[in-house]
């Protein structure tokens, strides 16, 4: 085939991709208000492309990228006050972080029962099926946090571990991790903290003086913490990290890997891209601790503004926001979500709590909220919510 034909085909394929992409909602448009993922920081985009060909599943082929991964894990270890014995396992996101944590709990204890709050992410349903684990649900308090006295009643000799949520998917609620951790330490229970969303929010909220419970390794009894760079880490999909209190525990999730450059491989994935790792590291280096504080300060500022504008319409919130997540109480959330989507706005419905979820990610500005409010008002009036 001639050069000209190939050049033409190249352009045709790109045009075809553009046509598909135009059908997508985009973070850049500001019209996605319900997602916990972010428009990646510009430096994440740049780093991602540079490391596109790297494979951290075969680390001796990319010692430089491996070193980036180690530096990034060290950054998170410091952020989460991890002890020197700790390590981190890079994962694709919150789901894989939770799977890996539960895999560790099962291997370390030989038991198959997990006690978790009603607010736990639906990835635990997958975990139960994958690993034949039994899930024991704990009810929530009126603040939407795990009820610790109810938790105590559900602990048995068959319990493999406890899960706490630091930033719930539906409302951004935070479980009382210090109290749960104390109990787990006393009972010698594995305790996983799912901070997929809150991991890059809570440390900075606390520094800004917000009244949010501690959730990291400073809390006695915390075994593992998962946190996602592709959520409030302001980086690109797919990247999360499972931080693990004792690096020796990794033996439980390591196998021999006879035909690649390393003799052993740890965790679920085999081939895995270094691109999102380089992206997340680049964001952490560029923003630094102070930069993340500013990101969280600004997200909370927009959240408070959105709260004022929404309640100003006469709508109410399910709870006072702990972080940059708003649950707006509605009688028929699915109808409102559908109508908003038809007008080009995406928010998420939470049927269980009869609300819609709005997440003020770093790319959401007050101007976007100002554009959204009249649309929300009109929609709610049309469907009889106002
Ligand atoms: N855990 C929590 C608390 C979450 O909010 C989410 C997703 O929103 C997950 C886990 C799953 O994360 P992912 O979709 O990145 O696998």
């Amino acid at each position: 085939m001639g050069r000209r034909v190939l050049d033409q085909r190249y352009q045709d394929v790109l045009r075809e991709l553009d046509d598909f992409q135009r059908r997508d909602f985009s973070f850049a448009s500001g019209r996605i208000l319900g997602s916990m993922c972010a428009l990646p920081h510009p430096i994440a985009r740049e780093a991602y492309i540079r490391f596109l060909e790297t494979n951290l599943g075969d680390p001796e082929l990319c010692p430089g990228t491996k070193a980036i991964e180690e530096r990034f894990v060290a950054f998170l270890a410091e952020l989460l006050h991890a002890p020197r014995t700790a390590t981190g396992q890079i994962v694709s996101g919150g789901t894989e972080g939770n799977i890996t944590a539960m895999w560790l709990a099962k291997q370390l204890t030989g038991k198959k029962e997990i006690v978790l709050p009603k607010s736990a992410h639906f990835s635990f349903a997958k975990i139960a099926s994958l690993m034949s684990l039994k899930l024991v649900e704990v009810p929530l308090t009126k603040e939407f946090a795990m009820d610790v006295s109810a938790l105590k009643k559900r602990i048995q000799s068959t319990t493999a571990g406890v899960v706490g949520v630091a930033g719930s998917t539906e409302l951004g609620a935070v479980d009382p991790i210090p109290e749960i951790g104390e109990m787990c330490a006393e009972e010698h229970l594995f305790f996983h903290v799912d901070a997929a969303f809150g991991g890059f929010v809570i440390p900075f909220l606390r520094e800004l003086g917000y009244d949010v419970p501690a959730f990291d390794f400073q809390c006695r009894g915390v075994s593992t913490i998962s946190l996602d760079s592709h959520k409030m880490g302001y980086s690109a999909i797919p990247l999360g990290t499972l931080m693990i209190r004792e690096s020796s525990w990794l033996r439980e999730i390591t196998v021999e890997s006879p035909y690649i450059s390393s003799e052993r491989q740890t965790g679920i994935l085999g081939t895995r891209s270094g691109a999102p790792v380089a992206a997340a590291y680049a964001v952490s280096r560029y923003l630094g601790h102070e930069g993340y504080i500013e990101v969280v300060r600004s997200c909370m500022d927009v959240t408070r503004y959105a709260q004022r504008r929404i309640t100003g319409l006469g709508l109410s919130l399910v709870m006072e926001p702990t972080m940059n997540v708003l649950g707006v109480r509605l009688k028929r959330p699915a109808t409102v979500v559908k109508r908003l989507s038809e007008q080009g706005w995406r928010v998420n419905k939470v049927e269980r709590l009869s609300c819609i979820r709005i997440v003020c990610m770093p790319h959401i500005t007050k101007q976007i909220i100002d554009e959204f409010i009249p649309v929300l008002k009109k929609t709610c009036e049309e469907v009889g919510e106002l």
Side-chain angles (χ1 to χ4, degrees):
M1 208 179 293
R3 181 83 249 152
R4 271 233 310 274
V5 176
L6 282 175
D7 283 353
Q8 184 57 47
R9 184 176 292 180
Y10 196 93
Q11 294 308 323
D12 289 347
V13 171
L14 291 180
R15 252 193 304 276
E16 187 187 341
L17 290 181
D18 284 345
D19 286 344
F20 281 114
Q21 198 171 39
R22 265 193 286 278
R23 287 157 53 181
D24 292 351
F25 285 84
S26 73
F27 288 123
S29 72
R31 298 283 164 121
I32 305 178
L33 284 177
S35 173
M36 288 188 149
C37 290
L39 173 68
H41 191 284
I43 204 163
R45 194 178 291 267
E46 183 124 13
Y48 202 102
I49 292 166
R50 290 186 190 198
F51 285 79
L52 211 50
E53 70 170 68
T54 55
N55 173 17
L56 280 163
D58 208 347
E60 283 174 33
L61 298 184
C62 48
T65 315
K66 182 72 192 150
I68 292 177
E69 179 171 274
E70 285 162 5
R71 293 263 180 106
F72 184 61
V73 167
F75 163 75
L76 294 181
E78 196 182 327
L79 179 69
L80 301 179
H81 303 100
R84 288 159 70 103
T85 51
T87 187
Q89 175 71 13
I90 293 287
V91 290
S92 56
T95 300
E96 194 190 331
N98 288 340
I99 295 174
T100 309
M102 295 302 100
W103 187 10
L104 275 174
K106 176 172 157 282
Q107 292 299 107
L108 287 167
T109 65
K111 297 176 184 176
K112 300 187 97 181
E113 215 167 281
I114 302 296
V115 184
L116 77 182
K118 202 168 170 51
S119 55
H121 185 259
F122 62 80
S123 50
F124 287 96
K126 300 182 189 179
I127 291 165
S129 168
L130 272 171
M131 290 190 244
S132 302
L133 294 177
K134 182 180 166 203
L135 303 182
V136 179
E137 244 179 37
V138 181
L140 306 181
T141 62
K142 60 182 190 329
E143 286 82 31
F144 300 93
M146 177 146 66
D147 182 335
V148 180
S149 55
L151 163 67
K152 286 181 181 155
K153 291 190 193 121
R154 282 160 178 79
I155 301 297
Q156 302 188 58
S157 58
T158 44
T159 305
V162 174
V163 175
V165 182
S168 68
T169 314
E170 292 164 337
L171 295 171
V174 183
D175 288 335
I177 304 299
E179 219 178 318
I180 302 168
E182 283 299 325
M183 191 209 77
C184 289
E186 293 301 320
E187 304 280 337
H188 305 287
L189 288 165
F190 189 96
F191 179 29
H192 170 57
V193 177
D194 181 354
F197 186 77
F200 279 97
V201 186
I202 300 169
F204 309 112
L205 277 181
R206 285 171 59 81
E207 285 191 45
L208 286 165
Y210 283 79
D211 181 21
V212 195
F215 77 110
D216 68 16
F217 290 107
Q218 275 180 319
C219 305
R220 191 170 158 241
V222 169
S223 309
T224 49
I225 304 171
S226 67
L227 72 171
D228 285 356
S229 297
H230 66 217
K231 295 191 172 74
M232 280 297 287
Y234 211 165
S235 193
I237 297 170
L239 199 81
T241 308
L242 180 71
M243 295 301 298
I244 302 164
R245 188 179 280 275
E246 295 294 335
S247 58
S248 61
W249 296 348
L250 286 183
R251 278 201 292 271
E252 301 293 334
I253 58 167
T254 297
V255 297
E256 285 180 13
S257 49
Y259 61 82
I260 59 168
S261 60
S262 61
E263 285 174 9
R264 288 180 178 72
Q265 192 171 79
T266 303
I268 294 168
L269 296 185
T271 299
R272 64 185 174 88
S273 175
V277 181
Y281 176 71
V283 176
S284 72
R285 292 284 293 155
Y286 180 75
L287 289 180
H289 201 87
E290 292 306 310
Y292 279 116
I293 290 182
E294 281 316 306
V295 169
V296 170
R297 187 202 303 274
S298 155
C299 288
M300 290 310 290
D301 195 28
V302 175
T303 304
R304 295 283 176 236
Y305 181 71
Q307 176 177 13
R308 281 199 301 278
R309 297 288 322 259
I310 290 166
T311 52
L313 295 178
L315 295 168
S316 65
L317 300 187
V318 176
M319 71 170 225
E320 183 65 25
T322 315
M323 47 183 79
N324 46 330
V325 182
L326 298 151
V328 183
R329 207 187 293 278
L330 293 171
K331 292 189 277 292
R332 289 182 299 149
T335 310
V336 174
V337 166
K338 185 163 172 289
R339 294 280 183 105
L340 287 173
S341 180
E342 285 159 5
Q343 296 168 82
W345 290 90
R346 296 294 303 190
V347 301
N348 289 38
K349 62 176 187 299
V350 185
E351 291 283 11
R352 194 174 71 81
L353 299 173
S354 195
C355 70
I356 55 171
R357 183 188 75 178
I358 292 171
V359 191
C360 296
M361 295 301 290
H363 57 275
I364 303 297
T365 59
K366 287 182 184 171
Q367 191 189 332
I368 292 170
I369 299 297
D370 284 340
E371 287 166 24
F372 174 65
I373 291 294
V375 184
L376 177 66
K377 179 172 185 281
K378 187 164 156 283
T379 306
C380 285
E381 281 168 355
E382 281 168 5
V383 302
E385 294 278 357
L386 277 175

